[in-house]
Amino acid sequence: MDAKKVYLKVYNLSMVVGWTFILITYFLKALETGFDAPLMYPHVRIALMIFQYGAILEIFHAITGLVPSPLGTTITQVFSRVVLVAVLEYIPESRALGFLLLGCAWSVTEVIRYSFYSFKLFGLPVPYPLLWCRYSFFIVLYPMGVSGEVITLFKSLPYFRTVTVFGLFPVSYIIWALILYYIPGLYMLYTYMLSQRKKVLGKKNENKPVEALNKKEN
């Protein structure tokens, strides 16, 4: 049995389980607390750190060619989220509206994405509803997630103004650079997914059976 494929199966199934737990917990605690972000966060913090930091492996997957993901978009998405998880963990003031937005966007996106990958890895036909969600939900979830991330970073700026890089300049300068990078970063991710959506769900595929789409999308 191919060790690489076994590893990818285990990795993706673990991510499906982890993000499903985060998604369910997020919404249950949102209803229980009346969408009170500071009260919701402690219930998902450990799982959020484990499974978001676990996504760092995807950079190595792309570098080594284990998966055909574009390296630039992978680094952009993973790096920004790792920074956000650290901000949420160490700066309690950042757990507000931004967390509500990014928590919803991340968890829904990742459950869909890793479920999609798992079907492909096990050689199973991807159900059309999952295929459609994979290439449609991002239209709303990407802007929602980015909005939440930017709001969270803004909330962290007062703290980072008091921390310097080797006494040279405040870390807040780096945070501002990251915020500004969201403009080209979101454009890159969004246009990539739009092109993939057109390729998979475009008019030329409207009359093709789901099995044909599954073969086409690797």
Side-chain angles (χ1 to χ4, degrees):
M1 186 176 291
D2 188 342
K4 292 181 179 179
K5 198 160 188 178
V6 171
Y7 161 74
L8 286 175
K9 287 178 180 178
V10 172
Y11 175 81
N12 281 277
L13 282 177
S14 298
M15 287 297 199
V16 171
V17 172
W19 282 104
T20 299
F21 170 80
I22 293 170
L23 176 62
I24 293 173
T25 304
Y26 174 90
F27 280 104
L28 288 178
K29 295 304 175 181
L31 294 174
E32 182 182 310
T33 64
F35 291 88
D36 189 316
L39 293 179
M40 292 167 57
Y41 178 76
H43 297 281
V44 299
R45 60 178 288 270
I46 294 178
L48 188 64
M49 286 190 285
I50 291 173
F51 292 99
Q52 190 53 68
Y53 287 148
I56 294 174
L57 290 172
E58 294 187 19
I59 296 176
F60 296 98
H61 296 170
I63 290 174
T64 60
L66 195 58
V67 297
S69 302
L71 183 58
T73 55
T74 301
I75 291 175
T76 298
Q77 189 170 39
V78 172
F79 175 74
S80 63
R81 287 192 180 188
V82 166
V83 171
L84 264 295
V85 170
V87 167
L88 287 167
E89 177 63 16
Y90 295 106
I91 307 176
E93 294 78 10
S94 68
R95 302 167 198 165
L97 174 60
F99 171 69
L100 294 178
L101 293 173
L102 68 82
C104 176
W106 288 7
S107 54
V108 174
T109 296
E110 299 301 51
V111 169
I112 293 172
R113 185 165 72 96
Y114 288 113
S115 296
F116 174 84
Y117 291 158
S118 294
F119 271 97
K120 301 298 294 182
L121 285 166
F122 281 91
L124 300 173
V126 180
Y128 187 78
L130 178 59
L131 190 73
W132 186 88
C133 289
R134 165 68 175 143
Y135 291 103
S136 300
F137 274 28
F138 78 91
I139 295 173
V140 173
L141 294 177
Y142 272 20
M144 178 189 293
V146 167
S147 297
E149 292 174 33
V150 169
I151 291 171
T152 301
L153 290 174
F154 268 120
K155 296 285 288 185
S156 73
L157 282 172
Y159 170 82
F160 285 117
R161 290 193 187 102
T162 65
V163 182
T164 63
V165 179
F166 303 116
L168 299 175
F169 58 86
V171 175
S172 58
Y173 288 6
I174 298 176
I175 299 300
W176 271 112
L178 182 58
I179 290 173
L180 292 175
Y181 182 72
Y182 272 94
I183 299 173
L186 176 60
Y187 175 80
M188 180 169 61
L189 289 169
Y190 210 72
T191 53
Y192 170 73
M193 286 302 296
L194 284 173
S195 67
Q196 290 297 103
R197 186 177 196 274
K198 183 177 181 180
K199 185 187 302 182
V200 177
L201 302 179
K203 290 184 177 180
K204 61 183 179 181
N205 294 319
E206 285 181 352
N207 298 318
K208 292 185 179 180
V210 173
E211 290 78 5
L213 292 176
N214 286 321
K215 291 180 180 178
K216 178 178 180 180
E217 180 58 25
N218 295 317

